[in-house]
Amino acid sequence: MTDLVAPQAAVVGGSVVAFAGGLPASHRDDIYMSTAYAQRATRAAFEDGLSGDWFEYYSNVLRFIGWDVPKPQTLAASNISLMAGQATQRIASVWGESFSEPMRLALRAMERNALALKLFESTSVRANVGYFQMIPCIMNGPNKVQMGVYHRQFEIEREAGGFLFSEDETLIHNSVEQVAAITFNTLYYAQFRDKVKQSVITGSLKYLSGLEI
């Protein structure tokens, strides 16, 4: 990522980020770095014994580095068993096809990418508890990116590779889905960019796996 090798979609730890066409590599790099930074800070806090709402803490970290994250909306329970399909359906119903289509393509690429799946699953699940985000992004002006953040937290019955694409209805329980719409201002973020990038690069260069969409 130091040379702005920022693909159109990628697994970033426990998040899948996908961009509609037209976003410059610098914007994609900012969003990848910010997402990795917020995840690492949140995981570290909870591993140190912090209790509370994982997504609230994650959102607060993003606010600390200049993101304008509104209070998330909790969605009503759904009976769709396939987690990947449910995520894209939720994104489509809340924000429309322009957001859901890049994410659908990213998830399709992820399903056949063993390295990306391994990164996602090893980061998103700890013991029997899981947290992940789906983040589709589209351009909304010269220096603004419109983003939808779909967050899901759940308990998983047993270790299962490919749980995101599993149709086993007994696998996932106590699931909560939340969404938040964000306008990312790249000019405002500029004051935080170096700090975030240095933190991510110092911590790990193996946080991202690109997806071909």
Side-chain angles (χ1 to χ4, degrees):
M1 293 296 291
T2 55
D3 296 323
L4 296 187
V5 182
Q8 285 293 122
V11 171
V12 185
S15 294
V16 182
V17 184
F19 297 92
L23 273 87
S26 59
H27 290 9
R28 300 196 301 268
D29 185 67
D30 284 345
I31 292 168
Y32 286 141
M33 288 286 179
S34 299
T35 302
Y37 179 90
Q39 286 184 71
R40 288 181 57 230
T42 305
R43 286 198 307 273
F46 275 74
E47 286 170 2
D48 286 343
L50 178 72
S51 61
D53 187 298
W54 196 98
F55 191 45
E56 180 180 3
Y57 191 95
Y58 173 87
S59 298
N60 284 337
V61 175
L62 290 175
R63 293 184 187 106
F64 181 72
I65 58 172
W67 288 41
D68 181 16
V69 185
K71 184 177 178 61
Q73 171 191 356
T74 300
L75 302 177
S78 169
N79 59 2
I80 299 175
S81 59
L82 192 68
M83 296 179 80
Q86 180 161 326
T88 54
Q89 185 180 89
R90 295 293 206 183
I91 291 167
S93 64
V94 175
W95 296 300
E97 189 173 339
S98 59
F99 286 86
S100 64
E101 182 61 13
M103 186 55 62
R104 185 187 68 79
L105 294 174
L107 289 172
R108 188 170 68 182
M110 178 182 168
E111 187 175 11
R112 58 179 185 262
N113 186 322
L115 290 176
L117 269 174
K118 182 178 179 181
L119 172 62
F120 176 81
E121 292 173 359
S122 65
T123 311
S124 60
V125 176
R126 289 289 186 274
N128 68 328
V129 179
Y131 308 90
F132 68 77
Q133 291 75 229
M134 304 290 177
I135 308 176
C137 310
I138 64 174
M139 203 70 188
N140 187 29
N143 302 298
K144 292 184 179 179
V145 180
Q146 195 68 34
M147 307 167 63
V149 179
Y150 167 89
H151 170 79
R152 187 162 184 170
Q153 60 188 64
F154 55 94
E155 294 180 15
I156 190 165
E157 188 66 28
R158 60 191 176 279
E159 185 175 336
F163 68 83
L164 198 63
F165 305 99
S166 172
E167 297 185 6
D168 183 352
E169 296 182 1
T170 68
L171 189 62
I172 303 299
H173 56 101
N174 293 338
S175 179
V176 176
E177 298 170 275
Q178 294 172 287
V179 293
I182 300 169
T183 299
F184 178 66
N185 187 318
T186 60
L187 291 180
Y188 182 66
Y189 176 73
Q191 63 188 301
F192 306 98
R193 182 176 291 119
D194 289 344
K195 169 188 173 181
V196 169
K197 180 169 288 193
Q198 187 59 43
S199 175
V200 172
I201 292 174
T202 299
S204 174
L205 286 173
K206 298 179 179 179
Y207 71 92
L208 182 146
S209 180
L211 300 170
E212 294 186 12
I213 64 172

